[in-house]
Amino acid sequence: MAFDVEQARADFPILSRQVNGKPLVYLDSAASAQKPRAVIEAMSRAMEHSYANVHRGLHTLANETTDAYEAARRAVARFVNAGEGEIVFTKGGTEAINLVAAGLGAAMAPGDEVVLTEMEHHANIVPWHFLRERRGVVLKFAPVTDDGRLDLEGLQALIGPRTKVVALTHMSNVLGTINPVAEVIEAAHAAGAKVLLDGCQAIVHQAVDVKALDVDFYVFSGHKLYGPTGIGILYGKAAELAALPPYQGGGEMIGEVALEKITYADPPHRFEAGTPPILEAIGLGAAIEWLNGLDRAAIAAHEARLYARVREGLAGANWLKVIGEAPGKGAILSFTVDGAHAHDVAQILDRYGVAVRAGTHCAEPLMRRFGVTSSARASFALYNTEGEADAFVDALTRTQAFFA
Ligand code: PMP
């Protein structure tokens, strides 16, 4: 199979709109990706044709909706090579990490250690800080090299007998670095520690096989994977989920409730208290089925070509500083422009129809590591074209001229 970007683009209604009188060049997909018609229609169809609450089914619509919700779970499970019972629907990647941190933290004692890295998103830092504040858990941060790689030896040196968890991003949302997760998992397991991978970015750009990785927990969000907001995935090995205490209490996560005692449902439902994000799960299932129809390796090659084209276009720009030059990195360009604040850069680019993100990217420790308070970030998705890469280079060059 090959990849035809124009054909894929045609599936995204929003991409034909104009912004400030210019064709939209959407380079903010690492924050949230646009949605193909398959997702929009699957969610509308559910609302128009067959919608009710799930798991309560004594009538046709409840049964149909439950079937659609559980079919989405199976689609996710197949997508990452997990068992159906190993996929928990959450409201996002952030909630999935909080769920694991709270659950594992419940068994931690003062002095137990959690190893993170300097390139984590706040979603994979703050829940662990809660354990530091509330349980006396010690956090250790593996260093990042000047070119934006994870210092693997540095990380390995932090793993010791008190390490309970190693939690790191599979792909950095700022640097684009793809981490050597197989080595990390091996080192962590050798020390008896569990591993959580934050796959919010990686899952979008590469095939992920949780079994082959032998990872304990893998989390991601729906909305970066061309699906809707309000839905995230926690994969956990069956035995790990079975050992994890419930996160939230409420309907649908129980076995039996009495006045003096309760029992809990088995995973994954144990972790899905209350009415879950039903439509969002259906939408994510549709996004995954849509992606399954595409050649993902060809998409990765396409995105790499776009990134290379932008770097080539900006090769002579002595006013540009790029943060993150790891070999084999994904198509995320974080940068600063000499003499300009990243927010101003983003706002001027917007006048040319180019949407980029600017700020700390929810990664303040990483910003500090690179001695900046903020950066701008252009992130590429499967629907971006070479013409858009050129339009970005052109708009950025014009933007810089404002500050020269
Ligand atoms: N981790 C990474 C690497 C991310 O890029 C993001 C989203 N910016 C998150 C976690 C949090 O995901 P969400 O906001 O969808 O919960």
Side-chain angles (χ1 to χ4, degrees), residues 30 92-94 121 123 169 171 173 198 200-201 221 223-224:
T94 299
H121 187 281
T169 191
M171 173 177 170
N173 65 313
D198 172 357
C200 286
Q201 298 294 337
S221 308
H223 67 97
K224 297 178 202 278

Side-chain angles (χ1 to χ4, degrees), residues 22-318:
K22 304 277 191 320
L24 167 66
V25 176
Y26 188 75
L27 301 180
D28 197 18
S29 299
S32 203
Q34 300 300 345
K35 321 302 174 201
R37 206 171 270 113
V39 171
I40 300 164
E41 287 176 357
M43 295 175 76
S44 303
R45 207 181 314 119
M47 284 184 278
E48 288 178 5
H49 181 68
S50 186
Y51 175 77
N53 211 330
V54 291
H55 300 309
R56 289 173 188 153
L58 291 174
H59 61 79
T60 301
L61 294 194
N63 291 339
E64 286 178 1
T65 309
T66 304
D67 287 348
Y69 179 71
E70 293 301 333
R73 194 192 308 275
R74 285 193 294 279
V76 174
R78 277 194 304 274
F79 190 61
V80 297
N81 193 27
E84 215 178 302
E86 295 176 315
I87 298 298
V88 178
F89 286 124
T90 65
K91 83 171 168 67
T94 299
E95 187 178 59
I97 300 172
N98 274 275
L99 191 165
V100 174
L104 294 178
M108 287 190 207
D112 282 347
E113 295 169 3
V114 173
V115 174
L116 308 167
T117 83
E118 282 180 338
M119 67 169 88
E120 299 312 309
H121 187 281
H122 294 165
N124 196 33
I125 299 176
V126 182
W128 306 107
H129 266 299
F130 287 172
L131 301 184
R132 180 188 59 73
E133 287 182 339
R134 298 170 190 175
R135 307 193 71 89
V137 166
V138 175
L139 305 185
K140 298 190 163 178
F141 290 86
V144 170
T145 64
D146 288 343
D147 64 352
R149 281 174 300 114
L150 175 66
D151 177 345
L152 182 60
E153 282 178 15
L155 181 139
Q156 285 163 336
L158 296 179
I159 298 175
R162 299 285 319 250
T163 308
K164 298 294 175 202
V165 184
V166 178
L168 75 159
T169 191
H170 193 173
M171 173 177 170
S172 163
N173 65 313
V174 179
L175 307 167
T177 306
I178 296 167
N179 282 323
V181 292
E183 286 88 338
V184 174
I185 291 166
E186 203 184 325
H189 284 171
K194 316 261 179 245
V195 179
L196 176 141
L197 289 182
D198 172 357
C200 286
Q201 298 294 337
I203 191 87
V204 184
H205 304 285
Q206 65 181 76
V208 170
D209 181 331
V210 291
K211 289 276 179 321
L213 283 171
D214 191 29
V215 68
D216 302 292
F217 301 101
Y218 195 95
V219 309
F220 57 95
S221 308
H223 67 97
K224 297 178 202 278
L225 191 59
Y226 309 106
T229 52
I231 182 87
I233 297 298
L234 165 61
Y235 157 78
K237 280 182 183 168
E240 298 300 336
L241 289 182
L244 217 55
Y247 178 56
Q248 293 184 331
E252 303 303 321
M253 53 74 73
I254 46 87
E256 197 187 335
V257 179
L259 295 186
E260 66 288 350
K261 74 168 178 84
I262 44 173
T263 60
Y264 302 119
D266 289 333
H269 298 111
R270 179 190 300 171
F271 303 105
E272 296 178 1
T275 298
I278 302 168
L279 293 164
E280 292 78 2
I282 291 171
L284 176 57
I288 286 175
E289 297 297 5
W290 177 82
L291 267 175
N292 285 341
L294 300 176
D295 180 339
R296 298 199 72 206
I299 290 171
H302 166 73
E303 291 173 349
R305 269 195 305 277
L306 295 179
Y307 183 79
R309 192 174 176 100
V310 165
R311 290 309 303 270
E312 216 169 284
L314 292 168
N318 58 3

